[in-house]
Amino acid sequence: MRVLRIALDLDGVLADSIYVWLRIWNESRKDSLTLEDVRCWDFWKGLGITLSEFHRIFYRAWKNWRSIPPTEPNLTDKVALLEELGRVDIVTSRPRNTEEYVLKWLNMHGLGNRNVVFVKVGCKKSELGYEFYIDDSPLNAEEIASAGKYVALYDRPWNRLVRDNERIKRIMNLNEAYSFIKECMSRC
Ligand SMILES: [Mg+2]
């Protein structure tokens, strides 16, 4: 039997890197943005900065990888549960200069021995060879569903406009992703 392949996203799904991003922003701009203020994917446009400025802060956030909290407790156990369903790769699209910090972060959170797939910024995850995705990007969710695949959409303020359908399911935690994938597997 063919092994099911699951792409598990990093930023916003395992690692709350936006938390440190906002802290750096607030400290340098004397601002007080919270997670709930990040209402859309390209929220940085509303702050009047360029994409490269966004990436500069993103780099600084990851350079501070020890400060980046996990999105939920017991990540190791939850990823192990997902692995009962198939092969799980941590698939993350990001600038190359943050990769070394990602590996350190994963190690610190008990995920150092997992397969990590780094993809270039702008690469369409939906075109990779996975049947299921766990992701927080509203753009990825729409593309994955359009490609005839399934996505467990990790609930975040910036993806709340995406509605569930037969291929997209909003989840509040990784255990709900497990239930969703299992249910899809029994249906298909
Ligand atoms: Mg993400």
Side-chain angles (χ1 to χ4, degrees), residues 2 17 31 34-37 56 67 69 74 83 95 102 104 110-111 118-119 125 136 148 160 162 169 172 182 186:
R2 199 163 164 267
S17 42
D31 206 346
T34 68
L35 205 68
E36 288 297 321
D37 294 318
R56 256 197 299 279
S67 311
N74 305 322
E83 285 170 333
V102 165
K104 287 176 178 169
L111 297 169
F118 291 112
V119 296
K125 281 190 181 179
D136 65 314
R160 299 237 165 98
V162 179
K169 165 83 174 163
M172 308 310 288
K182 202 164 177 197
S186 63

Side-chain angles (χ1 to χ4, degrees), residues 9-13 41 125 135-137:
D9 184 32
L10 177 69
D11 291 277
V13 172
W41 187 244
K125 281 190 181 179
D135 213 287
D136 65 314
S137 157

Side-chain angles (χ1 to χ4, degrees), residues 95-107:
R96 294 213 61 176
N97 61 3
T98 58
E99 291 177 3
E100 61 173 302
Y101 307 126
V102 165
L103 297 176
K104 287 176 178 169
W105 187 92
L106 288 171
N107 205 34

